[in-house]
Amino acid sequence: MSQAAHIIRDRLRHMHFCSLDDLIRTCPTVGWNEIFCELDQMSRSGSLLLSNQGHGRCGIRPVEASTGAYAEPEALSHSPTITQEEGS
């Protein structure tokens, strides 16, 4: 596993839910392109969920390895959840 992957996994373990912008800001030693590539691999492997938060924002939520369930997001007033009706 790359150094970037270790840093990203550590941040997500503490944040439980964040936007792509927030993750990029909290990983100043990792380039945005490395973050994007690692998130792509993690999403394809099923270890996290990427979601459209609207207005060009991407939400990131890790999947609990033991249960396969998504981690519950913390109360984030700046990251609204899109309902099925809004996303249609």
Side-chain angles (χ1 to χ4, degrees), residues 25-46:
R25 276 191 292 277
T26 63
C27 300
T29 60
V30 182
W32 70 266
N33 55 336
E34 291 177 283
I35 292 173
F36 183 83
C37 289
E38 291 298 335
L39 291 178
D40 181 51
Q41 289 180 341
M42 293 167 73
S43 175
R44 291 174 190 266
S45 72

Side-chain angles (χ1 to χ4, degrees), residues 10-76:
D10 182 60
R11 295 301 190 278
L12 291 175
R13 188 173 18 260
H14 296 339
M15 297 171 85
H16 304 293
F17 180 85
C18 65
S19 72
L20 177 58
D21 293 335
D22 292 339
L23 183 61
I24 291 170
R25 276 191 292 277
T26 63
C27 300
T29 60
V30 182
W32 70 266
N33 55 336
E34 291 177 283
I35 292 173
F36 183 83
C37 289
E38 291 298 335
L39 291 178
D40 181 51
Q41 289 180 341
M42 293 167 73
S43 175
R44 291 174 190 266
S45 72
S47 60
L48 61 80
L49 173 68
L50 299 174
S51 60
N52 180 355
Q53 298 294 301
H55 304 288
R57 295 179 56 94
C58 177
I60 304 164
R61 184 175 302 159
V63 174
E64 296 295 327
S66 59
T67 64
Y70 298 114
E72 289 297 320
E74 296 175 357
L76 297 175

